[in-house]
Amino acid sequence: MQIRPASFLSKLTLMFIIIVIVFQLHVITEQPEKEKRVHRNISIAIIYNRVPKCGSTLMNSLLELVFNESHTFRFIKSTNYVPFRLSATDQLQLRQEIVNYSRQAYSTPIVYERHFHFVDFGFEVNRNLFYINQLRDPIERVLSCYDYTRHRCKTDGPNEPCALSNRSLINITMDACVSTGDPTSCISEQNGVSSAISFFCGQLSICDDTYKPITNYAALALAKSNIERYYLYVGLLEYIESSLELLEFSYPAIFRGISKFYLTYFKDKPFYRTPAESRYPINKETRTILRRLLKLEFELYYFVQKRFIDQYRRTFHRAPRRRDGKVR
């Protein structure tokens, strides 16, 4: 019996499709096992890509106290404070650095801290990695960044690098900046202020706050998505005691005792990086303008606040205690 060409081609096409499907299923099922074999000797890594002026110096002090008492993890403090945005090469180097630290630690978890915008390290590393961070009321954080940058530029002297785009800005208060120029520039990197959204959004171009504040809802949406997918914990400085309580409960093998150290050494003490003479209050009009300009930053803050409160209530069956962190 002679096979008609059309029928033969149909059967051949069907066989080809079946082969492709079988091959794809093989790849899908085998790939995770392959990645597991390659990275089976990587220990758990907690990455603290700290948002500036959200109590990160306080957090580092607490982590050092926990480490010195328990030695249940390896605490790695990066000396690379800038830039926050990383080139593709720098991202690969950071990835390899964390992988190397994890391998050297064998089965001991590592806690790695550094100021940088979120990086997706890839599936095989992400399986062993969790992010943590803290946030703060956006206006208070912006004021802290603004004043601290000027304080550092003054104390470091004229021959040292300054985060301001121009040293002529060094004596301009936030009130003066907002009232005499473009208010948007007052909350940008040229004035020493970074976006919290960028630290969760990542390294894509929509997350770039180098030249102007984040005004892109796509960046905000990506930041929220990354928080849900990758962040074990995002605490709030206004709820610092309850935040630390939740962090300790979430990962007791690493953070056991962190609440105790806060209550013992820091609860009733201010923890300022910027001295009083370099911190300037703002008037009501400036606060109103900043709140409008920081609309997306507040949306992120309230998203994190709701997530934190929900996590805390589910865990402890009570509301978290609100308390100012006294950090600026």
Side-chain angles (χ1 to χ4, degrees):
M1 179 178 177
Q2 186 177 6
I3 300 176
R4 290 180 297 177
S7 176
F8 176 75
L9 289 175
S10 297
K11 291 181 179 180
L12 188 63
T13 302
L14 179 61
M15 289 178 62
F16 177 76
I17 292 173
I18 292 172
I19 291 171
V20 170
I21 292 174
V22 170
F23 176 76
Q24 288 178 335
L25 287 173
H26 173 75
V27 171
I28 291 170
T29 55
E30 286 295 310
Q31 186 67 14
E33 290 302 317
K34 179 181 178 182
E35 289 173 339
K36 187 183 294 184
R37 290 196 298 271
V38 171
H39 295 277
R40 65 184 182 276
N41 59 341
I42 295 180
S43 61
I44 295 296
I46 305 293
I47 309 299
Y48 179 24
N49 67 316
R50 45 193 283 207
V51 179
K53 312 312 295 176
C54 291
S56 58
T57 300
L58 169 63
M59 178 64 82
N60 275 357
S61 298
L62 290 168
L63 289 172
E64 285 183 340
L65 288 169
V66 173
F67 166 74
N68 290 333
E69 179 177 86
S70 68
H71 293 284
T72 55
F73 63 94
R74 183 180 178 189
F75 185 34
I76 301 158
K77 297 178 65 176
S78 175
T79 56
N80 297 318
Y81 301 109
V82 290
F84 304 152
R85 285 187 60 77
L86 306 177
S87 67
T89 300
D90 289 339
Q91 291 178 53
L92 289 174
Q93 289 177 346
L94 176 61
R95 180 186 187 277
Q96 192 58 49
E97 180 182 359
I98 291 172
V99 168
N100 289 342
Y101 278 130
S102 296
R103 284 177 173 156
Q104 293 166 10
Y106 299 102
S107 60
T108 303
I110 69 166
V111 177
Y112 179 94
E113 70 82 20
R114 177 178 172 181
H115 290 302
F116 69 93
H117 296 171
F118 169 83
V119 173
D120 184 348
F121 292 105
F123 173 76
E124 72 279 8
V125 177
N126 286 345
R127 291 169 65 249
N128 299 74
L129 179 150
F130 304 93
Y131 275 90
I132 63 172
N133 220 318
Q134 286 194 155
L135 269 185
R136 182 184 189 180
D137 175 275
I139 290 180
E140 296 306 313
R141 184 186 62 81
V142 162
L143 292 177
S144 186
C145 287
Y146 189 94
D147 290 341
Y148 177 72
T149 299
R150 282 152 180 76
H151 167 68
R152 283 299 304 268
C153 290
K154 290 176 183 177
T155 56
D156 289 348
N159 297 322
E160 295 297 322
C162 174
L164 295 173
S165 62
N166 192 316
R167 280 188 172 270
S168 64
L169 302 171
I170 202 167
N171 292 314
I172 298 178
T173 65
M174 180 64 85
D175 280 341
C177 183
V178 168
S179 63
T180 59
D182 175 14
T184 303
S185 70
C186 305
I187 57 171
S188 67
E189 280 206 358
Q190 73 180 73
N191 271 293
V193 178
S194 55
S195 166
I197 293 173
S198 297
F199 278 81
F200 299 98
C201 179
Q203 304 290 337
L204 298 179
S205 58
I206 61 170
C207 310
D208 189 354
D209 67 339
T210 304
Y211 303 106
K212 61 180 181 179
I214 296 293
T215 57
N216 191 327
Y217 274 94
L220 175 63
L222 183 55
K224 291 179 179 179
S225 175
N226 286 337
I227 288 171
E228 292 285 22
R229 292 181 64 188
Y230 300 107
Y231 281 80
L232 173 75
Y233 157 91
V234 182
L236 295 171
L237 195 57
E238 289 75 22
Y239 295 84
I240 184 63
E241 189 174 330
S242 295
S243 292
L244 294 173
E245 188 181 6
L246 180 62
L247 176 62
E248 182 172 349
F249 183 89
S250 300
Y251 226 114
I254 295 179
F255 300 110
R256 188 182 306 279
I258 197 167
S259 297
K260 174 192 70 176
F261 284 120
Y262 171 74
L263 294 173
T264 302
Y265 296 108
F266 300 107
K267 181 179 180 180
D268 298 318
K269 299 177 182 178
F271 202 79
Y272 297 125
R273 295 294 307 280
T274 309
E277 61 270 18
S278 296
R279 301 194 306 269
Y280 298 95
I282 57 173
N283 61 43
K284 185 176 180 180
E285 183 179 355
T286 297
R287 186 171 292 275
T288 300
I289 293 171
L290 290 180
R291 189 169 189 90
R292 174 174 54 82
L293 294 175
L294 295 168
K295 178 183 177 182
L296 266 62
E297 299 284 340
F298 270 101
E299 286 197 30
L300 178 68
Y301 178 81
Y302 291 136
F303 169 80
V304 169
Q305 183 185 61
K306 182 180 185 304
R307 181 178 186 257
F308 162 72
I309 291 175
D310 288 347
Q311 287 177 327
Y312 190 92
R313 284 183 178 275
R314 286 197 305 269
T315 302
F316 299 107
H317 307 290
R318 63 176 185 270
R321 294 180 297 277
R322 181 181 174 90
R323 182 180 184 278
D324 288 339
K326 295 184 179 179
V327 178
R328 182 169 174 184

